[in-house]
Amino acid sequence: MMSDKLVQGNPENGKWRIVCYLNQFFGQIGGEDKADTGFLVKEGPIGPAMFLQSFFAGEGEVVATVICGDNYMADNLGEAVEEGFKLIADLKPSIFFSGPGFNSGRYGVACGAIAAAVQERLGIPAITGLYPENPGTDMYRKRAYVVKTGINAGTMRTALATMAGIGKRLLKNEPIGSAEKEGYFARGFLKNETVEKTAAVRGIEMLFDKVTGKPFKTELSIPQFEDIPPAPPVNDIKKATIALVSDGGVVPKGNPDKIKVSQNTVWASYNLDELFANPYQIAHSGYHPTEVRENLNRLLPMDVLKELEAEKEFGRLFPVFYSCSGNTTTVQSCKAIGEGIAKKLVEENVTAALLVST
Amino acid sequence: MKLRMESVKIVDVQFGAKTSISDGVLYINRQELTETVAGDENFASVGIEIVKPGESTRVINVVDVVEPRCKISGGVDFPGVLGGFIAAGRGTTRALKGMAVALCDRHRHWIHSKGIIDMAGPGAELGRYGKMPCVVVDPIPAGDVDDHAYAYSVRRAGFKAAVYLARAAGEDQVDESVVYDMETVYPDLPKLGYYYQIYSPQHDPKGIPDPIFYGYPISVTLPLVVNANEIIDGAVLSGYTIRMMETYSIQNHPIVTELLSRHGKDLNFAGVVMGVCSLEPVRRALAAMMIGNLFHDTLKADGVIMTKPLGGAPNVDLGVAASECEKLGVKTTLLIQALNTQASLDSEVLFNDPALNAIINCGIIFETAQLPELDKIIGGTGETAVFNDSCKQTAGHPIVVEKRFICGCLNQLGASPAVAVEY
């Protein structure tokens, strides 16, 4: 689960403990010929870490620079990150910086992976810097602060200044502005801010520009939806086991699995007979649930399904029902919920699912 | 249609012996206003309160906010609700500016349809109505009355109060007068229209829609052409709930008034098509086709700006209508709200036609705000529930509310300067 809050470390002797991560090149071990070098921990700041130190004048100290070769990291990323993470954790940092990795593919991924591990597992701020097209950017921007850099080390000083600026404020629990304003890649959060003109005025200006052939820039972009091929038809409906799946948000009274009424991210399964026999509630704020409250068959057509089952129109009704709430849920969450339910259905040898919505 | 809109600026509101305006201060005879709105079989009584910016007061159970308005000539007050069917949008209307009437409904139990107005603290900063004096109309239900009948009574009471207060202003107290002329056309200027999706029936209990067009429910109506002046002169009203389209924001409709004020200057306001969201695809396809045709062939618009109510279903519906317009060469701009806080600016639109490349970001409706405890509660008690996810918070304590429930914080007609920003 992503979080917007980081644990605040404590300064030691009035100074924050800074740990930096660099590859063999920036760590002054050597070039491509030294890319297989394993982890080294050097006391104090090396190379770019010295620049970084200068931004913390008196407030923080780079206690160590952790260095590793690009190939060593890339060849077995998972294990290498684990190895590096332990070294970094032992150094008890208040804050962690990796790179910046600019547009170097192996280095960028390593910077992101190790920053994500440190931030998620130590709960301290972890910051790196990458070029937009570096594959590490999209892989890790939601898991650590990834500052936007130029394509190569020519932009080192600016990149480090931005990284240090964000880092200092995170340490002091001071607010960090929007991705665009601060120069990092969006971490997957939206917040409301106000601008000078109302949406109506901006909208008419944009339409006017579009109609008169002037340049304009959309404020929201259309999503890239995946094409999902439909499942093949059921071979023999007379033998099919059919399960009920619904995003209508029906849950047993008390909502034991805490399905959210909007922006939901979880799913749960309930025995159908028990669900129908006991008090239930609707965890969904996108429709008026009066009808479903009065008669659950309106959402989950158990009555008709039982009749059809008795008449042998299909094999059997699967006794477990899969529930979630589909109200202003992101595609990402829908996909995760769908994958979870589908996996379970396959495990249970369910032939087909009836997706009943609102 | 030509409409003269007269404005009277109000700087303060106080109770007084006679309902009148003097030096921008509106004095209200409380007894007379109470009697004006109380004559309704669904009310046991009606409370009238004045709340002002800076007071430590929270108004709860708010179902609508109305600007005081009365018709001076050429029509009736709130046709279809208080008066007969004489079209709005002609003649002269007088408005009290800088204040509002807030309406409370203590009866309906569906708390996540009700808003709040904080007169102090961060809620007042965020909302529109905590910054102006408000007259709160707070009826007490006469026993176990019917939900819909009661809601209708509450709204009538609000409009009656709005008319009563506006009638206090004499002709010599008018500060400003504007004429909205939709009769003159300017064929050489770019022709811009407005598609106003006023309603979506997805929340209607028992399938009973809110009466929002001339007091009439129109949830099954196919798209229709209305005059821009009708919209801002009382033909279109908010539903029974605060849905980021309170009546005050319709009376001061930010798109309609902006297009009207630029009509003849740098653009030609081609007109308005109004519609409701379709909840099933066949009707959606028909409505979208009609919307495209009406703008292209009837109004002959070069471009159309489009707004929607509520959340996801109208978002889909608006996208389909916009695609039909673009297919006919009518350019579109859409006002869309982001829904999620864990999201990005390319995840919140529910259509993916590349022609729909001009979308305005109207903020995130589910973002929450923490509001402190305030000293006084109006429209309920300190123990009245205020909606959040847990449904366990009460008005007399610090509360966390989604910003859509802070009246006037976000607005689906485009009145708010809020935008969703990536973090």
Side-chain angles (χ1 to χ4, degrees), chain A residues 9-20 43 52-53 56 59-64 87-97 124-125 171:
Chain A
N10 289 318
E12 190 180 76
N13 306 324
K15 285 187 178 180
W16 303 105
R17 287 176 67 84
I18 304 166
V19 172
C20 294
E43 202 174 318
L52 193 75
Q53 169 97 56
F56 277 85
E59 290 184 286
E61 197 174 6
V62 178
V63 292
L87 294 171
I88 294 158
D90 285 347
L91 292 162
K92 303 203 180 332
S94 327
I95 188 167
F96 175 76
F97 292 94
I124 61 164
L171 284 168

Side-chain angles (χ1 to χ4, degrees), chain A residues 197-201, chain B residues 128-129 244 246 248-250 252-255 307 335 362 408-418:
Chain A
K197 291 174 181 169
T198 64
V201 170
Chain B
R128 184 179 195 173
Y129 306 106
M244 297 171 284
E246 61 281 3
Y248 185 102
S249 69
I250 302 170
N252 293 282
H253 197 303
I255 288 175
T307 62
L335 269 61
C362 300
C409 171
L410 299 171
N411 183 266
Q412 297 194 293
L413 307 177
S416 167

Side-chain angles (χ1 to χ4, degrees), chain B residues 93-405:
Chain B
T93 298
R94 194 167 292 162
L96 304 189
K97 294 286 175 185
M99 66 164 294
V101 174
L103 267 179
C104 300
D105 182 340
R106 294 174 177 237
H107 178 60
R108 268 187 128 195
H109 303 300
W110 202 35
I111 60 166
H112 83 255
S113 61
K114 296 174 176 182
I116 65 166
I117 299 174
D118 275 7
M119 302 308 294
E125 274 304 304
L126 287 164
R128 184 179 195 173
Y129 306 106
K131 299 182 180 76
M132 59 176 80
C134 294
V135 175
V136 183
V137 177
D138 177 23
I140 305 298
D144 190 20
V145 294
D146 175 75
D147 270 5
H148 275 90
Y150 187 77
Y152 197 69
S153 294
V154 168
R155 286 182 12 121
R156 282 175 62 87
F159 296 131
K160 281 180 193 168
V163 173
Y164 169 83
L165 296 175
R167 291 235 175 268
E171 195 176 347
D172 55 342
Q173 288 168 315
V174 172
D175 295 300
E176 197 188 359
S177 189
V178 180
V179 175
Y180 294 123
D181 176 3
M182 280 299 284
E183 288 170 9
T184 313
V185 292
Y186 304 91
D188 298 334
L189 295 174
K191 295 181 275 297
L192 304 190
Y194 171 42
Y195 175 62
Y196 186 9
Q197 192 186 57
I198 61 168
Y199 195 68
S200 175
Q202 71 205 74
H203 288 276
D204 294 346
K206 301 277 177 195
I208 303 172
D210 295 353
I212 64 172
F213 184 59
Y214 285 104
Y216 194 79
I218 65 160
S219 73
V220 294
T221 311
L222 287 165
L224 57 146
V225 174
V226 295
N227 196 288
N229 284 350
E230 290 178 87
I231 293 168
I232 56 170
D233 196 33
V236 183
L237 309 165
S238 174
Y240 284 154
T241 59
I242 285 290
R243 287 173 176 167
M244 297 171 284
M245 297 207 303
E246 61 281 3
T247 298
Y248 185 102
S249 69
I250 302 170
Q251 294 170 307
N252 293 282
H253 197 303
I255 288 175
V256 172
T257 53
E258 176 76 4
L259 286 171
L260 280 169
S261 68
R262 288 172 68 168
H263 182 56
K265 294 196 178 106
D266 61 347
L267 58 83
N268 181 71
F269 189 176
V272 181
V273 174
M274 203 171 74
V276 298
C277 174
S278 304
L279 298 183
E280 48 88 16
V282 174
R283 187 193 186 282
R284 178 172 301 132
L286 169 62
M289 176 200 79
M290 291 178 69
I291 293 161
N293 280 345
L294 286 170
F295 279 113
H296 183 259
D297 296 290
T298 303
L299 299 179
K300 304 193 188 313
D302 301 317
V304 53
I305 185 165
M306 310 176 105
T307 62
K308 58 172 271 288
L310 296 178
N315 187 330
V316 173
D317 202 65
L318 201 70
V320 175
S323 291
E324 289 301 311
C325 291
E326 292 277 355
K327 274 188 213 163
L328 296 171
V330 179
K331 307 283 189 218
T332 61
T333 295
L334 297 85
L335 269 61
I336 299 287
Q337 297 74 36
L339 302 169
N340 295 280
T341 49
Q342 286 194 8
S344 58
L345 294 180
D346 62 1
S347 71
E348 296 303 281
V349 171
L350 302 180
F351 42 79
N352 67 345
D353 178 352
L356 309 186
N357 58 356
I359 307 168
I360 295 293
N361 166 349
C362 300
I364 323 150
I365 65 178
F366 288 119
E367 186 176 74
T368 54
Q370 295 197 4
L371 305 178
E373 181 180 337
L374 296 181
D375 295 342
K376 194 173 174 190
I377 305 293
I378 292 180
T381 71
E383 296 311 306
T384 305
V386 174
F387 178 77
N388 72 354
D389 231 21
S390 75
C391 292
K392 280 180 186 153
Q393 63 181 1
T394 51
H397 299 92
I399 53 173
V400 176
V401 291
E402 290 167 1
K403 287 186 174 169
R404 62 192 171 125
F405 296 118

